[in-house]
Amino acid sequence: MKAIVRYEYGSPDIVKLEEVQKPTPANNELLIKVRATSINRSDWEGVVGKPLYVRIGGLFKPKDGILGSDIAGTVEALGKDVKQFRPGDEVFGLILNYGGGFAEYACISEKALALKPAGMTFEEAAAIPQAAFIALQGIRDKGKVQPGQRVLINGAGGGTGVFAIQLAKLAGAEVTGVDSSEKLDFMRSLGADHVIDYTKEDFTKNGKQYDLILDVIAYHRSVFAYQRALAPNGNYFMAGGSVATIFQMLLLGPLIKRITSKNIQLLVVQTDSKDLVYITELIQSGNVKLVIDKRYTLSETAEAIRYLGEGHAKGKIVIEVPKGNA
Ligand SMILES: NC(=O)c1ccc[n+]([C@@H]2O[C@H](COP(=O)([O-])OP(=O)(O)OC[C@H]3O[C@@H](n4cnc5c(N)ncnc54)[C@H](OP(=O)(O)O)[C@@H]3O)[C@@H](O)[C@H]2O)c1
C-alpha cells in the first residue's frame, strides 16, 4: 500500500509517499481502508520532533514511520475480538497512541471508532476525531462549563479551537478566544464573544480572570501566570505545549491548588466512541459547524503539514485518499 513515511525529524520535506507493507490488525483492532484523514498539530510535532515528549521511544529517529491519527474509511478486516463492526461499515475514529493514518490502510482500536453517519462525507468525518475529543473532554467533561462562566481558549483559531469555542458557547459561557491577528475574525465567526491577539496582548497580564482556561498551546509561560488568570476555584487544562510546562504543572499544580484553590493540570485525552457519536449529532443538528479550511491528496501531505505548522490553517486540514490511487 502507499503511505506517507518519515525516518528522521526535520522540516515537512522529510515526509515522503512510499510503498510499504499493509498493516495487520491486532485482536481488538480493525483494518480500515482509509478514504480520508486530517492533519493535527500532533502531526507537525511528530515531523519536527518537538516538544520533546514526541520523541518518547525514538529520541534520534522516529519510532513509528507513519504519522496521522484521524481516519475515516471502510472496514476491510476485523481482529478476532472485535464485536461491533462488520466489513464494509463506513467508520471514523482516532488512532491515539501511535499514528498510521496517512496511508491507504490503517489499524485502529474498536474503542476509538464510530459509524460514519450516512449524510456525512469521509472528509468531514476525518476532520472530527482528535480535535473534538480534546474540546469535548476539556470543555464538557473536565471543565464542566456552566452558563455565564468565563471561558478562555488559548490557540482557539486552530483545529481544537473550532470545536472548543462552539461547545463552550453551547454550554452558555462567555468565551474569549486567543490566537494570531489573522484568526480574530474567524474566532468571532465561531461565536467567540471576545478575542485576543497573542502577538499584541498577554492574556495572563491584562488583569482579567477566567473560570476555565483550555490551553492547546502552552509555551513560554509559568504556572504562576496561569494561576493569575484564573478566577477563584477556576480550572486550567493544558492539552498541548512544552515539556517544561508539563513538569511545572506536575510539580507546582498541586501546591497552587492547596494554597489558592485554583486547579492547574494536564488534560489527558481518552478515546471513547460515544464522544464521536455525541459530536456528530451536534454537527448534524446544526449546533456545531465543521470547518474545513483546505483539502489535499495523500501525495500532498508534506504541504498540508507545512500549511498547518506555519500557522495558516483556520479550522481543519483534510487529506483525501482516493480509492486505489493516492
Ligand atoms: N492532551 C492530550 O491527551 C492530547 C491528545 C492529542 C493531542 N494533544 C495536543 O493538543 C494540541 C492540539 O492542537 P491543535 O491540533 O488544535 O492545534 P492547531 O490546529 O495547530 O491550533 C493551535 C492554534 O494555536 C495558535 N497559536 C500558536 N502560537 C500561539 C500562542 N503563542 N498563543 C496562542 N495561540 C497560538 C496557532 O496559530 P498560529 O500558528 O497562526 O499562531 C493555531 O491556530 C497539540 O499540541 C497536540 O499534540 C494532546
Side-chain angles (χ1 to χ4, degrees):
M1 69 165 188
K2 293 193 176 69
I4 294 292
V5 294
R6 86 308 185 204
Y7 302 104
E8 58 190 313
Y9 299 111
S11 78
D13 299 331
I14 59 159
V15 309
K16 305 266 181 278
L17 184 70
E18 279 187 8
E19 199 65 37
V20 302
Q21 200 158 358
K22 200 166 157 180
T24 309
N27 292 345
N28 64 341
E29 288 182 336
L30 301 93
L31 177 68
I32 307 298
K33 180 162 178 47
V34 179
R35 296 290 305 281
T37 171
S38 76
I39 310 280
N40 292 289
R41 179 160 290 267
S42 51
D43 300 308
W44 165 260
E45 293 165 347
V47 167
V48 297
K50 289 181 203 152
L52 213 55
Y53 61 76
V54 300
R55 298 187 182 222
I56 290 173
L59 187 58
F60 301 109
K61 282 181 170 199
K63 180 171 60 111
D64 305 305
I66 307 173
L67 289 165
S69 50
D70 287 338
I71 57 169
T74 47
V75 175
E76 182 92 355
L78 309 174
K80 74 175 176 52
D81 297 336
V82 172
K83 301 277 184 297
Q84 296 171 44
F85 300 94
R86 294 157 185 252
D89 282 348
E90 296 188 343
V91 293
F92 71 113
L94 174 67
I95 311 171
L96 187 59
N97 294 326
Y98 50 96
F102 296 159
E104 289 180 311
Y105 292 88
C107 292
I108 184 166
S109 156
E110 183 176 31
K111 280 200 308 195
L113 202 63
L115 287 173
K116 177 183 79 60
M120 191 175 261
T121 64
F122 287 109
E123 290 77 27
E124 287 167 341
I128 296 172
Q130 188 185 113
F133 274 126
I134 299 173
L136 267 177
Q137 290 171 29
I139 299 291
R140 182 196 63 182
D141 301 347
K142 293 285 184 181
K144 297 185 173 51
V145 173
Q146 301 298 316
Q149 286 193 322
R150 289 152 299 164
V151 173
L152 180 138
I153 299 148
N154 191 37
T160 302
V162 165
F163 292 105
I165 290 177
Q166 297 183 79
L167 289 170
K169 284 304 294 175
L170 272 180
E174 183 183 334
V175 178
T176 301
V178 184
D179 212 299
S180 55
S181 326
E182 65 266 32
K183 293 180 185 167
L184 303 183
D185 285 342
F186 176 60
M187 294 188 290
R188 284 191 196 100
S189 75
L190 295 168
D193 302 289
H194 315 283
V195 292
I196 294 177
D197 179 347
Y198 74 81
T199 63
K200 301 206 172 104
E201 182 179 337
D202 183 338
F203 74 86
T204 65
K205 289 186 181 157
N206 63 9
K208 300 208 169 86
Q209 291 192 319
Y210 301 91
D211 300 297
L212 172 69
I213 297 173
L214 177 63
D215 199 347
V216 302
I217 191 127
Y219 289 91
H220 322 302
R221 289 190 183 92
S222 81
V223 283
F224 299 108
Y226 295 124
Q227 185 273 128
R228 201 166 51 229
L230 278 180
N233 297 313
N235 286 301
Y236 168 97
F237 295 107
M238 167 185 168
S242 69
V243 171
T245 313
I246 292 175
F247 274 123
Q248 275 198 51
M249 263 165 217
L250 293 175
L251 288 173
L252 299 172
L255 188 69
I256 289 174
K257 171 122 191 174
R258 212 172 313 139
I259 297 169
T260 66
S261 78
K262 297 176 182 179
N263 181 36
I264 298 184
Q265 64 181 74
L266 302 175
L267 177 73
V268 181
V269 169
Q270 313 290 330
T271 51
D272 183 345
S273 48
K274 287 201 279 305
D275 283 353
L276 295 174
V277 174
Y278 179 84
I279 197 82
T280 46
E281 284 172 359
L282 287 177
I283 292 166
Q284 292 200 298
S285 63
N287 284 304
V288 166
K289 67 177 172 195
L290 257 183
V291 186
I292 297 179
D293 176 357
K294 261 188 127 167
R295 294 160 195 256
Y296 293 83
T297 62
L298 191 58
S299 57
E300 297 167 333
T301 300
E303 256 177 75
I305 294 173
R306 182 179 287 111
Y307 183 77
L308 182 137
E310 289 179 352
H312 306 300
K314 294 190 183 103
K316 292 291 303 187
I317 308 302
V318 166
I319 306 281
E320 296 167 347
V321 187
K323 275 185 185 165
N325 170 19

